[in-house]
Amino acid sequence: MTESVPEQIAFRMFLNPGCAQEYKARHDALWPELHALLKSAGVSDYSIFLDAEHHVLYATLKRSATHSIDALPAHPVMQRWWKHMADVMRSHPDGSPVVEALPCMFHMD
């Protein structure tokens, strides 16, 4: 039996100027319940990179074939995290971060 290969996705978000250190500090202290929620939703290998000159965050993650990422916005832990982060990044009125998907232009294993 062959296991499904996780799908890699990438997206960008937008950091408020002057908030890089605070953004990093909050992620360095990521809540255990948020970590567990992301893992249970099928998220792995999640990284966020900063383009400091333009205040843009670039993120990549892998999601399992049976992921439940689409259910995360309704989860109270995710909503609480968004509220916690809203002052350091561009956010929608509901608190969710402004996210733009990035198409893969090249991949090499």
Side-chain angles (χ1 to χ4, degrees):
M1 179 175 200
T2 305
E3 284 194 30
S4 298
V5 175
E7 176 188 21
Q8 185 174 25
I9 61 171
F11 53 95
R12 67 180 170 186
M13 300 172 287
F14 306 91
L15 192 61
N16 294 336
C19 293
Q21 286 184 319
E22 183 60 26
Y23 183 91
K24 181 162 180 9
R26 292 180 192 185
H27 281 78
D28 286 348
L30 188 71
W31 305 337
E33 63 268 33
L34 180 56
H35 182 268
L37 177 65
L38 292 170
K39 286 290 198 181
S40 71
V43 174
S44 65
D45 199 14
Y46 190 179
S47 298
I48 303 172
F49 302 89
L50 173 62
D51 172 353
E53 181 180 348
H54 300 101
H55 313 291
V56 178
L57 299 160
Y58 294 93
T60 64
L61 61 83
K62 291 182 180 175
R63 61 186 184 184
S64 67
T66 58
H67 74 84
S68 58
I69 290 176
D70 297 336
L72 291 176
H75 197 283
V77 171
M78 185 59 69
Q79 291 176 5
R80 192 164 44 100
W81 179 257
W82 287 346
K83 186 175 182 178
H84 178 61
M85 298 301 294
D87 64 323
V88 298
M89 60 192 307
R90 195 181 312 166
S91 300
H92 293 289
D94 69 354
S96 64
V98 173
V99 173
E100 295 177 352
L102 298 172
C104 182
M105 301 298 285
F106 173 77
H107 175 78
M108 185 180 92
D109 276 330

